[in-house]
Amino acid sequence: MSHPDDLLAGIAAMVESEGTSQMSLTVVVPGAVITGRLAPEAMWRERVAEVLRDSAQLRPFSDVFAPADGGAPAGTPGARPTHLHFHVARILQGSFGIPDTGGMYRVALEDVSAWTVGDIGYSDQ
């Protein structure tokens, strides 16, 4: 979408303001369908930084995600979100979700062409 959907931006803003990570969402972006739970940006960044710190090769990159002052990431408080921050998320590919356990994805709101509330999964039954 060249102009992000106001309803979707409102959901992202509510996730940020409420500090909740319980909102499940599925989005269509160029080349992928991503399904999972949204997280506030600060929570998402901290979790990515933790994962990177646990890796000997990637540890230096953790500083990019962790706030330098230990506070919230840079940005204007109350500003309209520009991205969705997924955790426990999967890229849907055929009958598979990649990765099985869920990953961390950042998606620009302007790139979302379609979306639905809820986490889409597959069942063999």
Side-chain angles (χ1 to χ4, degrees):
M1 293 182 181
S2 59
H3 174 71
D5 182 311
D6 288 335
L7 187 55
L8 184 57
I11 290 170
M14 185 169 236
V15 167
E16 289 294 328
S17 69
E18 298 292 324
T20 182
S21 62
Q22 298 304 307
M23 181 61 177
S24 294
L25 196 71
T26 300
V27 297
V28 177
V29 295
V33 174
I34 299 173
T35 189
R37 286 189 294 168
L38 295 178
E41 182 178 358
M43 180 187 298
W44 182 88
R45 289 170 65 118
E46 181 54 37
R47 181 66 186 121
V48 171
E50 287 172 10
V51 170
L52 293 172
R53 277 193 298 269
D54 289 344
S55 169
Q57 294 85 10
L58 300 175
R59 186 174 297 124
F61 292 97
S62 68
D63 293 342
V64 172
F65 292 90
D69 63 359
T76 307
R80 182 180 175 115
T82 58
H83 291 78
L84 299 170
H85 296 87
F86 284 91
H87 73 119
V88 193
R90 293 165 288 133
I91 294 175
L92 300 180
Q93 178 66 38
S95 61
F96 299 98
I98 306 166
D100 288 336
T101 57
M104 308 289 284
Y105 301 102
R106 177 177 160 108
V107 175
L109 281 166
E110 66 185 20
D111 290 341
V112 176
S113 61
W115 60 276
T116 188
V117 171
D119 187 2
I120 295 178
Y122 289 97
S123 173
D124 292 336
Q125 300 176 11

